[in-house]
Amino acid sequence: MYLADRSAPAGAEPAPDRGPVRAAAVAPTVLALGTVSLITDVSSEMVTAVLPLYLIAGLGLSPLGFGALDGVYNGVSALVQLTGGHLADRVRNHKLIAGLGYGLSALCKPLLLFAHSLGPISVILTLERTGKGLRTAPRDALISLSTPPELQGRAFGVHRAMDTTGALLGPLAAFLILSVAVDGYDAVFGVSACVAALGVVVLMLFVPSGDGDTRPRPRPPRPRTSEDDGAAASVAAAAAVPAADRPAPVRLRDALGLLRLPRLRNLAICAVLLGLTTVSDAFVYLLLQRRTGIGDQWFPLLPLGTAAVFLLLAVPAGALADRIGRRTVFLTGHALLLAGYALLLWAPDPAALPYLVLALHGMFYAATDGVLPAAVAATIPAELRATGLALVGTGQALARFGCSLAFGAAWTLWGTGPALAAAAAGLLCCAAVAGFVLRPAAPVAPLPDPHRTGSP
């Protein structure tokens, strides 16, 4: 099955015999990148937690305008993912491209201190999302290349858990700053800039250079020769390396050709379909606030509930996906999201609604956010890993961009209830299609032996 198939892609070299796998093994590269993501997410989520309220309540932006802005800057991030993934594979330095992305995002944070109208804020957020797009695919490629295929669900789960720790601390920091600072929003933006700079420093100092690929590399034979023939021996040794083992330059045509891989193409199709009906987190929190009457001062804490559940379940969900199949866990996550939409529409008890919706929202991310890249990585050759991850990530993000625009328009025209009901109906249909597309492949019956006659 596509999301449960943890074997190497067709044509790839077989994985070496690693002996017994330790369940707790996590590569140092994963831990280093998790630390960078933790720090960076503290910075980003401080801004994200207050941004919907700042734009709608502070600047008077309509739901349609916010949906357009949210969709546009996430759409930019999606398109840039392709560039970041292709560049990382082409220059064969995933850390360099990821570092450029982290650095650009960090530079944008202090600029928010000087932007107090929609136009400049839109430009800054677009640049910040550009940095996120540059870093996402190279970072995920580093994680997958440093981890054995059978443990990649766990590795991505560990990274997402550390990343979510930052998402947990960011809204809490924003809440504390807003409660004690006079110019609350500016104070949030200033502290966010300092934290983002720290994340870049940690990346430079502690994430190892290179692609982190753990696959064994063939070594050329060393011919026996005299010291006088040392130079000639070096040339002969280099020539002895088979051409197939020499790294070839990655071309754009190679990247586009990845979509000819059936497993990768099906994963991309399902990611797009489900993204088209996944309502933006900001809209979920705004809907929850309007349904329950939560005060503005408590709004930055809503992402905290999602992040807490995500943090607790990211690693177990990744390990479960490695064990029982990624398709099952991935589709279960979307079923949990659908249940959250249903509660927002029809739950009779507003007092318990925030806890239930945020718990289901966090379970959805735990079951999907790390499981999808782990499944995608299992279908892509190592030399095109970042590009393939970027292709699927771009399709998913562009679909969510479309969902933000459509949901913002539906909210403005129809109201919150009909808009969310339409999204829930669409999610149910798309999940059913994804379950069919990602179904386990039927076993192939062996061909009859023409040389055998009679009954066995």
Side-chain angles (χ1 to χ4, degrees):
M1 66 186 81
Y2 296 110
L3 274 164
D5 188 354
R6 297 175 293 278
S7 61
E13 61 190 68
D17 184 11
R18 304 176 189 274
V21 177
R22 294 187 303 166
V26 177
T29 299
V30 176
L31 297 177
L33 286 169
T35 303
V36 174
S37 293
L38 187 157
I39 296 171
T40 302
D41 243 39
V42 171
S43 170
S44 297
E45 293 302 321
M46 287 175 65
V47 175
T48 301
V50 302
L51 196 61
L53 202 60
Y54 178 62
L55 293 176
I56 292 178
L59 300 183
L61 196 63
S62 69
L64 175 59
F66 178 74
L69 178 62
D70 184 65
V72 165
Y73 73 73
N74 280 299
V76 168
S77 172
L79 291 174
V80 175
Q81 276 194 57
L82 286 173
T83 303
H86 180 66
L87 282 177
D89 286 333
R90 188 173 183 84
V91 303
R92 302 187 186 282
N93 193 329
H94 298 90
K95 178 183 175 179
L96 173 63
I97 305 303
L100 291 175
Y102 280 108
L104 180 59
S105 294
L107 287 174
C108 290
K109 296 300 188 340
L111 297 180
L112 289 171
L113 292 168
F114 308 102
H116 299 287
S117 61
L118 183 59
I121 288 176
S122 300
V123 173
I124 293 169
L125 291 177
T126 299
L127 289 174
E128 198 275 337
R129 294 292 96 178
T130 299
K132 179 177 175 60
L134 277 177
R135 70 181 184 248
T136 299
R139 180 203 64 201
D140 285 351
L142 280 169
I143 293 172
S144 68
L145 290 169
S146 64
T147 306
E150 66 274 10
L151 291 178
Q152 287 190 10
R154 179 187 297 273
F156 278 104
V158 169
H159 174 267
R160 297 311 195 255
M162 297 180 73
D163 181 90
T164 307
T165 302
L168 191 71
L169 296 175
L172 181 60
F175 171 75
L176 294 175
I177 292 170
L178 286 176
S179 64
V180 300
V182 177
D183 296 325
Y185 291 118
D186 285 347
V188 169
F189 299 152
V191 174
S192 172
C194 297
V195 177
L198 176 61
V200 176
V201 172
V202 173
L203 174 76
M204 295 172 60
L205 294 180
F206 297 104
V207 174
S209 299
D211 64 2
D213 196 346
T214 57
R215 298 179 307 156
R217 300 294 186 184
R219 295 185 178 181
R222 296 187 61 185
R224 296 180 180 178
T225 182
S226 63
E227 293 181 359
D228 296 336
D229 295 330
S234 299
V235 174
V241 181
D245 294 330
R246 298 175 189 170
V250 175
R251 299 165 297 178
L252 186 59
R253 184 173 60 184
D254 300 328
L256 297 177
L258 285 174
L259 290 177
R260 291 196 295 267
L261 299 174
R263 291 184 294 173
L264 180 63
R265 185 171 61 245
N266 286 348
L267 285 169
I269 290 171
C270 293
V272 169
L273 283 176
L274 293 167
L276 285 171
T277 51
T278 301
V279 177
S280 167
D281 294 357
F283 276 129
V284 170
Y285 302 141
L286 288 170
L287 288 168
L288 192 56
Q289 184 196 33
R290 297 203 171 197
R291 177 74 195 277
T292 59
I294 295 173
D296 289 352
Q297 73 274 21
W298 301 105
F299 185 84
L301 293 182
L302 292 180
L304 207 64
T306 298
V309 177
F310 189 4
L311 173 63
L312 290 174
L313 298 180
V315 177
L320 182 65
D322 287 336
R323 187 165 61 251
I324 70 172
R326 291 158 189 159
R327 171 183 180 270
T328 301
V329 176
F330 184 73
L331 294 176
T332 300
H334 286 87
L336 294 169
L337 180 63
L338 185 62
Y341 292 172
L343 286 176
L344 280 171
L345 285 168
W346 299 298
D349 183 12
L353 187 61
Y355 305 101
L356 295 173
V357 170
L358 294 177
L360 290 169
H361 204 222
M363 292 177 192
F364 157 70
Y365 277 116
T368 59
D369 198 56
V371 172
L372 179 60
V376 171
T379 70
I380 309 168
E383 61 273 11
L384 290 170
R385 188 67 51 83
T387 303
L389 288 165
L391 280 173
V392 177
T394 296
Q396 184 183 55
L398 286 177
R400 290 183 176 180
F401 160 71
C403 184
S404 290
L405 291 178
F407 189 82
W411 182 341
T412 303
L413 295 174
W414 304 335
T416 57
L420 186 59
L427 179 59
L428 179 61
C429 295
C430 292
V433 173
F436 176 78
V437 172
L438 300 175
R439 68 192 185 281
V444 180
L447 294 175
D449 188 349
H451 300 290
R452 297 185 61 186
T453 59
S455 58

